[in-house]
Amino acid sequence: MSMTFIFELDARLSSRLRIAEKPSLQRSVAAFLAHSGDSWFWGMGLVAVWFLSGSFWKQWAVLMLATISALAALVMGLKFVFRRRRPQGEWGSIYRNTDPHSFPSGHAARAFLIAVLATGLGPSGLALALWGWAPLVSLARVAMGVHYISDVLAGSILGILLGLATWHFHDQILARLATLAGMALW
């Protein structure tokens, strides 16, 4: 099986899921979900959590924000290595203009990373909700035409792997972040 065949199959299957050009309630929900994984949204939310919460949530927010930042750097590096162009389309011009590459999906990686970390750090109700949200973000990115299925699959795997590594070493990471900051972060 050639890589060309795989890329063509990926493009065909992805286009079947696409609804970006079809105004409907389903499209509006997909657009909302596609944006809900934006890094600026999560960054602002985690900063707010840090300012407005107690020790548990401060640690949660610091670890999450640090890991999301590391993931963003990793995803950008991989995008510059692979340089796969996003699918053609009009929706998502901010993504198309600031980041023309699609592989791997940073949104899928971020969504699954957040779900994994919430599973390890708690609370369990939030983790369960995030495990429902993460695949919807990934599917919405394909439905809105800014990613192929393989982009979100690779991003999901990347987010899960980094999430598991962070979960395993979270105490050491938090201690190192506190040392680097030179102060008590929580």
Side-chain angles (χ1 to χ4, degrees), residues 27-183:
R27 180 193 183 276
S28 297
V29 170
F32 172 79
L33 286 166
H35 281 305
S36 72
D38 287 355
S39 56
W40 67 266
F41 172 79
W42 280 92
M44 288 177 31
L46 290 168
V47 168
V49 166
W50 188 87
F51 274 110
L52 301 172
S53 64
S55 179
F56 168 81
W57 286 106
K58 284 187 186 314
Q59 288 183 30
W60 197 93
V62 166
L63 184 64
M64 197 71 75
L65 189 57
T67 310
I68 287 171
S69 299
L71 177 66
L74 177 60
V75 166
M76 270 311 205
L78 289 170
K79 284 184 175 195
F80 281 108
V81 167
F82 291 106
R83 296 185 177 273
R84 184 179 192 188
R85 304 294 299 174
R86 290 186 184 274
Q88 294 294 317
E90 297 297 318
W91 189 88
S93 62
I94 190 166
Y95 308 113
R96 295 173 193 287
N97 293 330
T98 60
D99 179 12
H101 303 111
S102 69
F103 185 89
S105 167
H107 282 73
R110 188 167 29 262
F112 279 92
L113 168 83
I114 292 166
V116 168
L117 288 179
T119 301
L121 303 174
S124 58
L126 178 59
L128 184 60
L130 290 169
W131 277 106
W133 167 77
L136 293 174
V137 169
S138 301
L139 181 60
R141 301 295 293 174
V142 176
M144 296 310 295
V146 290
H147 282 291
Y148 297 100
I149 293 170
S150 61
D151 300 338
V152 298
L153 287 175
S156 300
I157 292 167
L158 186 62
I160 289 168
L161 292 175
L162 184 58
L164 290 172
T166 302
W167 179 3
H168 183 74
F169 295 107
H170 77 275
D171 287 332
Q172 296 93 322
I173 294 168
L174 285 169
R176 183 70 176 148
L177 290 170
T179 302
L180 288 173
M183 62 181 184

